[in-house]
Amino acid sequence: MTNIFHTIQALWPEYTKTEKKVAQFILAEQQNATNMTMADIAEGAGVSEGSVVRFLNKLGVKKLIDLKLSIAKSAEEKRPQEGSLSVAVEQEFVDVVRNTASLADAGRLRQAVDLLEQSDQVYFFGVSVSGIAAVTGENSFIRMGKPVHAIQEGHMQMIAAAAMGSRDTVVVFSLTGNTRDTCEAAELAKQQGAKIIAVTSYVNSHLARISDIVLQTSAKEEIINGGRITGLISQIYVLDCLKREYTRRNAGRISRLKENIGEAILTKKF
């Protein structure tokens, strides 16, 4: 299979000035480009969408999705052979936590917890692996006495969104920030007056643009190798930051509640 990056470089003499801008942008972004729209690439390269289309034609690519798949396959080929599997996994986990921590904004985190405290109902939305983060959010906050609901299915997210109001908040997990079902549900919730907290790796994504607060993760969603646990780890890191700040503010009440929960759970053990 031809490496798309090699093809882009090989055709360099044939590009117009604007097409070279597109080529430079894609070569620089590579993995990030797989989650961009035509408009995103055009804006990033500083050209028109028509120039992006002409660039694709010169590459012999019919649709943007075909370019994204080619980029994903070529990026996968470039991965170095791993040595010790356990060491490689450990390093990936350490890197994603450190990188996500470096993106943390204490001010936005406090604002997000403000919304959670002020809300009558809190919803956690996410699909696929992000749905696991949503369920973890529900499990965490229900133990702190907060009315919470995790919803992983697109249609049910829309139904819940339609019934929301100004006293509700939705925490939306999406690495790309461009998952159609989740974004559509978040948009509807916002139209109903609910506040939106996005947990995403892309601050220029559709989800980020419609959200009231964006909490950034560092993990990138990959087309070919999607659903990686490292993506979930980055989301759980942000979720735990929310949980700890919420707990700090409500320490006395939550401590008493945890004792009650502990006693209740003990009755279920032999």
Side-chain angles (χ1 to χ4, degrees):
M1 182 189 71
T2 303
N3 186 295
I4 191 64
F5 303 127
H6 296 166
T7 301
I8 291 173
Q9 291 168 335
L11 290 172
W12 194 267
E14 300 181 27
Y15 299 143
T16 64
K17 184 177 180 179
T18 54
E19 289 166 356
K20 285 180 179 178
K21 289 183 179 181
V22 180
Q24 287 175 328
F25 179 75
I26 290 175
L27 289 172
E29 292 296 322
Q30 292 194 14
Q31 183 181 318
N32 290 342
T34 61
N35 291 307
M36 294 181 180
T37 63
M38 187 81 74
D40 291 333
I41 294 174
E43 181 180 353
V47 302
S48 67
E49 291 188 36
S51 295
V52 179
V53 172
R54 288 189 288 275
F55 171 78
L56 295 180
N57 291 337
K58 195 157 287 184
L59 276 181
V61 175
K62 295 181 178 179
K63 298 178 181 178
L64 181 59
I65 186 63
D66 296 327
L67 175 64
K68 291 181 179 181
L69 287 170
S70 295
I71 289 174
K73 290 176 182 177
S74 297
E76 186 70 15
E77 287 178 354
K78 290 171 62 178
R79 292 183 186 278
Q81 292 296 317
E82 296 176 345
S84 167
L85 179 60
S86 61
V87 171
V89 171
E90 177 187 3
Q91 192 58 54
E92 281 193 28
F93 278 35
V94 169
D95 286 346
V96 78
V97 170
R98 284 179 176 170
N99 292 339
T100 301
S102 72
L103 296 170
D105 183 296
R108 286 201 295 267
L109 182 69
R110 288 193 294 268
Q111 290 171 4
V113 176
D114 287 343
L115 290 182
L116 297 179
E117 286 193 305
Q118 295 162 10
S119 299
D120 292 336
Q121 302 281 338
V122 174
Y123 295 82
F124 293 96
F125 284 3
V127 298
S128 188
V129 171
S130 295
I132 299 174
V135 172
T136 304
E138 179 186 56
N139 185 270
S140 296
F141 277 84
I142 201 169
R143 291 169 181 266
M144 295 186 287
K146 192 69 184 178
V148 291
H149 317 273
I151 306 180
Q152 298 173 277
E153 198 275 324
H155 285 80
M156 292 305 298
Q157 289 174 357
M158 290 293 283
I159 291 171
M164 290 182 193
S166 60
R167 296 282 299 174
D168 298 322
T169 294
V170 189
V171 182
V172 185
F173 295 94
S174 174
L175 289 181
T176 67
N178 288 318
T179 304
R180 184 181 296 276
D181 282 357
T182 308
C183 286
E184 288 178 348
E187 280 189 294
L188 178 57
K190 190 173 183 67
Q191 291 170 13
Q192 299 300 103
K195 299 296 186 293
I196 310 298
I197 300 172
V199 182
T200 181
S201 292
Y202 295 91
V203 295
N204 293 319
S205 64
H206 183 74
L207 175 62
R209 288 194 293 267
I210 65 172
S211 296
D212 297 283
I213 299 171
V214 178
L215 303 177
Q216 192 174 4
T217 53
S218 70
K220 307 300 183 184
E221 182 70 1
E222 303 173 28
I223 294 177
I224 300 299
N225 199 20
R228 291 168 66 90
I229 298 300
T230 47
L232 176 61
I233 293 298
S234 68
Q235 294 172 328
I236 296 298
Y237 175 87
V238 172
L239 176 62
D240 204 51
C241 288
L242 290 172
K243 174 185 174 183
R244 290 178 187 230
E245 174 63 14
Y246 188 91
T247 300
R248 185 190 67 78
R249 296 186 187 186
N250 301 274
R253 177 180 60 79
I254 290 175
S255 179
R256 292 189 296 272
L257 180 59
K258 283 184 175 180
E259 290 180 10
N260 294 338
I261 292 173
E263 291 177 5
I265 290 176
L266 282 175
T267 65
K268 295 297 183 180
K269 296 184 182 294
F270 291 103

